[in-house]
Each structure stands twice: as C-alpha cells, then as structure tokens.
Amino acid sequence: MFDWITSDRMLFVAGLILAGVQFAAALPWLWAIDPKGFERTTRSGSAMAVVLGGLVLAGAVLASLMGYKGDSSRLQQIGQYGYGAVLNLQLLIDLFLLMPAVLVKVWPKGGAVALAAYREGWRQPMFWLIIAAASCTMWFAVYIPYFTFGEDYKMMKQVGFDLVMLAALVFGVLAASMSISEEIEGRTAVTLMSKPINRRQFLVGKFLGILMACFAMSMILSWNMSFCQRVVREYDPINNNPDPTDIMAKPRDKVVDAMTLQGARVIVPAFQKVVPTQPGKTIAKGCGIWFGDAYANAFGVALGFGQVMILVAIATALATRLPFVINIVICLVIYIMGHLAPVVVHITEIAKNRGDANDFSNLVGFLGQLFDVVLPALEFFNMGPAVIREAPLDLTSFGLYVLTVAGYALLYTAVALIVGLLLFEDRDLA
C-alpha cells in the first residue's frame, strides 16, 4: 500500500513538472496578450491562487493520463506529437516576441521602424496565405509517390526545405518591394523623416522588420515540416530506406545523422533526469526526439534562410528607386542566374577541357563567369547534397559549412544594403 501511494505521488510530481514547463513557456506570450492584466494577476493573491490551482489541476490530469496510458510507445507518441510539439510552438512564439523587443532595446529608433514593419508583416493576409499554401503543399508532398526505390523520404525532405525557403523568399521580396515603394511614392516616408529618424534608420529598420517576419514564417513552416517527416517515417516505412537523419535509426543501419542523434542525446537525458517515474521519462524521451528533429532541421532552414536574407536585402535596395513590378522581375532574374551561373561555368569548363569550345561557348562561359562573380552564389545554400548522401553527415564539418555560408550571406547582405543606402540618399522624397 505504501509503495502504491509513493508511486502515485511520484507520478503526480512528474505531471506537475511537465505542466510547469509548459506554463513557464507560456508566460511571455500571455504577458504580450494583456500586459496590464498579467501585472494585475501577479499582484493579486487570489488570482495567483487560481493560477496555481490550475497548474496543480493540469499536473493531476497529466498524471492521470500517464497512469491510464501505460503503453510506453503510446506515451512516447504523446510526448513527441503532443507535449513536445506544443512546447516547441510555445518557445517559437516566445522567440517571435523576444526578437523585436531586443532590437528596440538595442536600437530604439531603427528598432521602432523594424517593429512596425514586423507587425505589418504579421497582419498582412499574404503572410498567412503563403503559410497555408506552403503547409498544404508540404502535406501533399507526403503522399506523392516519387518512384525513387525506397528514397521517398529524402525527396520529401528536400521538398520541405525548398518550400520553407521559397515561402519566406516570396513573402520577403514582395513585402520589401511593396512596403518601401509605397511609403516612398505615397509620401509616408516624408512624415517619418520629419521625426528624429534618418534615412539609414528607416531603410535598415524596414529590412530588419521584414526579415524577422520571414524568419517567423520559416520557423512556423519548419515546425509543420517536423510533423510531415515523422508521418512519412512512421506510417510509410515500405517506401523508405533507413533515413540518415532519423533519430530512431538503429546502429545496424550504419547511417545515422550526427545532428539529430547528438541533439536528442543531449536533450533526452537532460529532460529525463528532471522528470521522475518511468511514464514521465517516456514522455520526456518523446519530447526530446521531437526537439532532436527540430534541432536537425534548424541547420537546413538556416542554410536556406541565407538566400532569403540576400534577396530581401536586394529587393530593399532596389525598392528605393524602382517600382514594384520591375523590382520583382530583377529579383527573379538574380535568383535564377544565381543558381544557374555556377552550372554554366562548370559546363563550359568541361567543354573547354575536351576541346569542344567555340566562340558561342566562350561567350556563354564569359557571361557565366561574370554573373558568378557579380551575383550571389545561391547554390551554396542548397541543402540537397546533405539530404541525399548515403554516408553519415559529420556535425562539426557541416556546422562549420553553415557558419561559413552564413558569413557569406551577411557580407553580401551588407553590400546590398550599402548600395541601397547610397541610392536612397539622393532620392527626392518631397
């Protein structure tokens, strides 16, 4: 009898800890919804008693769920798709709130412009329409037969990364082209310049606000992509070979991705140490597997986000002088040629080495080299080679590659913004 009571109490403690973590993650966005009401609640003893009572009730519900669902596989799924997914979403919302707050604190004037552009991005119907379209396409890609002889998962994963990048890219370029051009042509920028905000703060602030909205879109779609990947791996195992980025891959598969594996190896034991009882540890394991997937996907999303950052900076710079339609066309040409130029250079070099070169191929090769030097090398941001490989992906080398490419993206973005500032400096706003 004593052992049963002790076990029951420990199960309640496990539920209380799990509920407390979710509650702590919810505090920032609860404060953002109603700051005054949040402050009144923290100062009111009766209101705090109600909150604590709700927390205890949530812990009891989780304890009852763990006691009722005794199957470890079912508890792991609950921890993964229920608890872990919700916790990840809450942390993302906290990040979305923290980014503009930190920027305003560090850079008050430019941060205020960025905050306005960031909020405007969230309010636009285009923002949610692109998210809905990309999410539906991602789920549609789950059920498409790729006829790849067991490599359907890798194809779907590459499609997912491309959709995340393209959705943020389309929104960022459209938002930058429309917002800045409309404010300049509509003389709204004149009103801003009459306040203590200079052109540099206006342009860079607009860019950062739109870029933060693009980042938020990428994170939301990445969260959705984690669901899609698990559905393919768990419910369509026939058409999928062992996945090199799958935390559940067994050692005999000989191909285990270091990013997902190391992420889960860090997260799972740390969470399991905090949560007592075997059912609680099983839910913590499922939560750790979810965050291991999110950790691995973050590398691919960050790699693709470099393209978004560069092209949004170019669209921002061109919007100071060019109308919306011309800006979109130029950005589309830069995107195509940024991917095509390295291929053209490689093919013309092969033809030259074989002795098949002629005047036309030499001209094409020269133009390819010119575009390759002037335009951004967008092929560096392709996640495909890391997805389709058959050998284990080393975390250290790939992490260094991502950091190197991110540095290149920052450098090119800075150059594009400097050009934009030079173009904007001489623009007559009156």
Side-chain angles (χ1 to χ4, degrees):
M1 182 68 177
F2 180 77
D3 292 339
W4 179 83
I5 294 176
T6 303
S7 175
D8 190 52
R9 287 180 178 176
M10 292 302 295
L11 201 62
F12 173 72
V13 172
L16 193 61
I17 292 174
L18 293 172
V21 172
Q22 292 280 3
F23 178 73
L27 289 177
W29 60 265
L30 287 175
W31 173 83
I33 292 175
D34 186 9
K36 294 182 179 179
F38 186 88
E39 186 177 354
R40 286 196 302 267
T41 301
T42 56
R43 292 181 178 180
S44 174
S46 58
M48 287 299 298
V50 173
V51 172
L52 293 177
L55 182 60
V56 171
L57 179 61
V61 171
L62 283 174
S64 301
L65 179 65
M66 289 185 288
Y68 176 70
K69 299 290 185 181
D71 185 22
S72 60
S73 61
R74 180 62 62 85
L75 286 176
Q76 183 172 308
Q77 288 181 348
I78 292 174
Q80 186 173 347
Y81 302 113
Y83 187 88
V86 172
L87 181 60
N88 186 15
L89 184 60
Q90 291 204 93
L91 293 176
L92 287 178
I93 295 174
D94 296 343
L95 180 61
F96 299 158
L97 297 172
L98 182 65
M99 287 189 302
V102 171
L103 183 60
V104 171
K105 193 72 174 178
V106 174
W107 190 31
K109 294 181 180 180
V113 177
L115 179 60
Y118 181 62
R119 290 176 174 174
E120 180 186 358
W122 280 92
R123 295 190 186 106
Q124 289 184 14
M126 176 179 62
F127 181 85
W128 299 105
L129 182 62
I130 292 176
I131 289 179
S135 299
C136 292
T137 306
M138 205 175 293
W139 280 105
F140 182 69
V142 171
Y143 299 100
I144 295 177
Y146 296 96
F147 306 105
T148 54
F149 302 100
E151 303 292 342
D152 285 15
Y153 174 80
K154 294 181 181 180
M155 290 294 297
M156 179 267 154
K157 192 168 188 176
Q158 180 59 35
V159 169
F161 282 122
D162 290 340
L163 283 172
V164 173
M165 182 273 298
L166 287 173
L169 179 62
V170 170
F171 172 77
V173 171
L174 290 175
S177 303
M178 290 188 298
S179 177
I180 297 176
S181 297
E182 289 178 356
E183 292 208 10
I184 293 176
E185 297 296 335
R187 303 295 187 267
T188 309
V190 177
T191 305
L192 289 174
M193 299 305 169
S194 64
K195 299 177 182 180
I197 295 178
N198 56 36
R199 300 192 180 206
R200 174 179 58 84
Q201 293 166 343
F202 170 77
L203 189 66
V204 178
K206 278 286 186 181
F207 165 74
L208 291 178
I210 295 171
L211 191 66
M212 287 190 296
C214 294
F215 177 76
M217 178 181 290
S218 299
M219 291 295 99
I220 294 173
L221 291 175
S222 177
W223 181 81
N224 179 73
M225 185 172 63
S226 297
F227 276 108
C228 296
Q229 290 173 358
R230 280 296 159 186
V231 168
V232 173
R233 292 301 301 156
E234 295 188 9
Y235 298 102
D236 190 19
I238 298 177
N239 294 321
N240 294 284
N241 284 335
D243 172 32
T245 60
D246 190 357
I247 182 62
M248 302 305 292
K250 299 178 181 179
R252 60 179 175 83
D253 294 333
K254 298 181 181 179
V255 182
V256 180
D257 180 58
M259 293 184 295
T260 305
L261 185 60
Q262 292 187 19
R265 282 180 175 176
V266 172
I267 297 171
V268 172
F271 208 2
Q272 285 182 330
K273 289 179 181 179
V274 178
V275 183
T277 73
Q278 188 58 40
K281 293 182 182 298
T282 304
I283 290 183
K285 179 181 178 182
C287 179
I289 291 174
W290 175 273
F291 277 93
D293 285 342
Y295 171 78
N297 290 337
F299 282 83
V301 173
L303 196 62
F305 193 73
Q307 295 188 62
V308 179
M309 183 165 56
I310 290 175
L311 286 169
V312 170
I314 293 174
T316 301
L318 295 177
T320 59
R321 289 283 183 173
L322 300 178
F324 168 73
V325 176
I326 299 178
N327 195 345
I328 294 298
V329 172
I330 293 177
C331 289
L332 179 61
V333 172
I334 291 175
Y335 176 80
I336 295 174
M337 295 306 301
H339 284 281
L340 188 61
V343 179
V344 172
V345 172
H346 180 67
I347 292 176
T348 53
E349 286 181 352
I350 292 177
K352 186 177 181 180
N353 293 332
R354 290 179 178 178
D356 299 332
N358 51 39
D359 293 339
F360 177 75
S361 63
N362 290 333
L363 177 61
V364 172
F366 170 76
L367 293 176
Q369 291 178 356
L370 177 63
F371 290 141
D372 192 30
V373 172
V374 175
L375 299 180
L378 300 181
E379 193 61 26
F380 291 159
F381 304 92
N382 185 16
M383 187 64 180
V387 174
I388 64 176
R389 61 185 293 131
E390 296 295 336
L393 186 63
D394 181 66
L395 176 62
T396 303
S397 60
F398 186 68
L400 290 175
Y401 175 77
V402 173
L403 288 176
T404 303
V405 173
Y408 171 81
L410 288 172
L411 182 62
Y412 205 100
T413 298
V415 173
L417 289 177
I418 290 173
V419 173
L421 289 172
L422 293 176
L423 294 174
F424 192 40
E425 194 67 30
D426 297 332
R427 178 68 186 266
D428 185 15
L429 302 178

